[in-house]
């Protein structure tokens, strides 16, 4: 799942993981858990999360690679929030080439306009109280997405695995479109 903060990656990834019986690997969730448990990784990541900056690429790769491999061997995964930079995408690709059985089959880009993203993130702030959902941090995270993550769209477009979905609709409609797309790609239930 490749989308801006607030676009619905977490919601859709949860549903896909449940539907296909595969692992939902959410880099932000993993990092927040590390921070909450005050692990060494959490200590290193905390300030980046609070500011809405991306944590360093090598730290992400350390915590994600093993999980992806385990999930791939167990039947598959939905990646939510990773990769988020070109360096991460290239490192992930190198790793997938090295590790037999790990493939990236489809990249789903949930497209949502900036105003809608802001209002969803504000609503989430009052619902969940995430420390990085403050006004200033929301703006910064949208800028970080535009400057560091948006270039991945072109990268995956050129690899011909990018699929853009209108993410401004109701969650159920978005899920239905994703499922129909995966079915049409032969990635749906029962087809592996
Ligand atoms: P998220 O829950 O996906 O919005 O991520 C929350 C925060 O975790 C981000 O603002 C970053 O600080 C950090 N983070 C999550 N995924 C990554 C990633 N792939 N690369 C760098 N930082 C990340």
């Amino acid at each position: 799942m490749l989308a801006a903060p607030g676009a619905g990656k977490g919601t859709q990834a949860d549903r896909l993981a449940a539907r296909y019986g595969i692992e939902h690997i959410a880099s932000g969730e993993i990092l927040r858990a590390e921070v909450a448990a005050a692990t060494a990784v959490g200590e290193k990541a905390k300030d980046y999360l609070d500011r809405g900056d991306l944590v360093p690429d090598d730290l992400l790769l350390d915590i994600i690679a093993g999980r992806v491999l385990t999930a791939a061997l167990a039947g598959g995964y939905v990646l939510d929030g990773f990769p988020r930079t070109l360096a991460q995408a290239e490192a992930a690709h190198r790793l997938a080439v090295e590790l037999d059985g790990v493939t990236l089959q489809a990249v789903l880009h949930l497209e949502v306009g900036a105003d809608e993203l802001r209002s969803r993130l504000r609503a989430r702030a009052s619902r969940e109280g995430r420390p990085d959902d403050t006004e200033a941090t929301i703006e910064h995270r949208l800028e970080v997405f535009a400057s560091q993550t948006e270039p991945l769209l072109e990268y995956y477009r050129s690899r011909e695995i990018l699929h853009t979905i209108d993410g401004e609709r109701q969650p159920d409609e978005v899920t239905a479109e994703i499922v129909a797309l995966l079915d049409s790609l032969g990635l749906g239930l029962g087809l592996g």
Side-chain angles (χ1 to χ4, degrees):
M1 314 283 307
L2 183 51
K9 293 190 297 291
T11 303
Q12 297 300 330
D14 255 347
R15 293 176 176 199
L16 294 179
R19 181 181 173 92
Y20 297 112
I22 57 178
E23 193 79 25
H24 173 188
I25 301 175
S27 52
E29 292 285 328
I30 295 169
L31 287 167
R32 281 189 288 281
E34 298 277 347
V35 171
T39 63
V41 167
E43 293 295 316
K44 281 187 207 152
K46 184 177 185 315
D47 289 348
Y48 294 94
L49 263 79
D50 287 347
R51 289 195 304 266
D53 280 325
L54 297 184
V55 312
D57 291 329
D58 52 352
L59 202 145
L60 250 290
L61 288 161
D62 282 352
I63 61 169
I64 291 283
R67 283 179 166 88
V68 172
L69 179 60
T70 306
L73 295 175
Y77 57 88
V78 188
L79 268 184
D80 159 8
F82 175 89
R84 234 158 159 131
T85 65
L86 260 184
Q88 289 177 14
E90 285 163 355
H93 184 57
R94 279 195 300 276
L95 211 67
V97 170
E98 278 167 29
L99 301 172
D100 231 15
V102 179
T103 49
L104 193 57
Q105 294 171 306
V107 176
L108 305 176
H109 170 216
L110 300 180
E111 197 167 41
V112 176
D115 286 344
E116 175 68 13
L117 291 172
R118 286 189 189 97
S119 79
R120 288 187 189 181
L121 288 167
R122 284 185 199 125
R124 188 172 74 187
S126 50
R127 215 174 44 237
E128 297 177 15
R130 249 175 71 168
D132 59 348
D133 277 345
T134 63
E135 275 305 309
T137 316
I138 286 172
E139 278 316 306
H140 184 56
R141 284 158 64 217
L142 293 176
E143 285 161 19
V144 166
F145 177 78
S147 63
Q148 303 197 53
T149 307
E150 254 177 7
L152 290 186
L153 296 176
E154 197 42 52
Y155 172 76
Y156 287 120
R157 194 173 287 123
S158 70
R159 284 180 52 189
E160 299 183 353
I161 51 174
L162 183 74
H163 304 276
T164 297
I165 311 271
D166 174 2
E168 290 219 7
R169 293 160 309 161
Q170 290 304 308
D172 285 352
E173 292 175 66
V174 176
T175 308
E177 185 176 334
I178 295 174
V179 167
L181 169 74
L182 295 178
D183 283 346
S184 76
L185 295 172
L187 302 174
L189 280 178
L191 293 173

